[in-house]
Amino acid sequence: MSVRNNDYLSYIRLVLGLYILKILQQGPAHGNKLAEEIKRRTNNSFTPNTNALYPLLRRLEEKSYLVGEWDNPDTRSKRIYTIAEFGITRIPELELVLEERLEQMEAKIAILRSDLLG
C-alpha cells in the first residue's frame, strides 16, 4: 500500500473513530445505527462503508475505547457498543489530531485554489 493510501486510510479511521466515540457518548448503539447517524450528521456526504466500520469497531473495542455486547448472545444478531472511560478521555486528543489534519488539508486547498483558480 502506498504512503498516500495509508495517509488517506488513517484520516478515514480518525474521522470515523471520532464520530463513533462522540455518538456513543450520547448512548449505546449498534453498527448500523452508528453508520446512519454519521450519514445524517454529515448531510449524506459521508456514508461509512461497512468494510471500514466493523473492523474499526473491533479495533476500538480491542483498544478499550468502547465495549461491545451482543443484544442476544445466542443469535449474535446485533452487537451493541458503549463508550468506555478510556474512549471518553481520548476524544480531546483525537480532536486535536483531526484539527491538525484539517488545517493541513485546508492549506493545500488554498494553494490549489490560488494557483489554479486565482
Side-chain angles (χ1 to χ4, degrees):
M1 183 177 286
S2 74
V3 173
R4 285 183 192 203
N5 285 343
N6 259 350
D7 195 45
Y8 177 74
L9 186 57
S10 72
Y11 168 74
I12 293 300
R13 283 185 187 139
L14 174 61
V15 169
L16 193 54
L18 195 49
Y19 263 119
I20 289 168
L21 294 175
K22 287 187 167 238
I23 292 167
L24 291 178
Q25 276 188 301
Q26 299 171 355
H30 56 81
N32 286 339
K33 183 177 178 184
L34 290 165
E36 290 168 10
E37 183 63 11
I38 292 167
K39 186 177 175 181
R40 183 191 69 75
R41 287 184 178 201
T42 61
N43 296 321
N44 298 324
S45 65
F46 189 76
T47 303
N49 182 319
T50 56
N51 292 330
L53 179 65
Y54 287 101
L56 182 56
L57 285 167
R58 282 191 295 279
R59 191 174 184 179
L60 292 172
E61 191 173 0
E62 288 168 2
K63 290 184 170 193
S64 301
Y65 287 36
L66 50 88
V67 176
E69 295 180 349
W70 295 107
D71 65 337
N72 184 337
D74 295 330
T75 61
R76 296 174 65 156
S77 60
K78 284 185 188 173
R79 193 153 179 84
I80 308 299
Y81 296 94
T82 306
I83 192 167
E85 188 62 36
F86 186 60
I88 293 169
T89 61
R90 289 281 289 154
I91 288 174
E93 182 181 334
L94 294 172
E95 288 172 335
L96 288 174
V97 172
L98 180 59
E99 181 65 36
E100 188 176 288
R101 296 284 299 270
L102 292 174
E103 286 173 1
Q104 291 169 357
M105 293 167 96
E106 288 166 347
K108 289 176 183 179
I109 290 169
I111 291 168
L112 294 175
R113 187 178 311 277
S114 172
D115 192 43
L116 297 173
L117 305 174

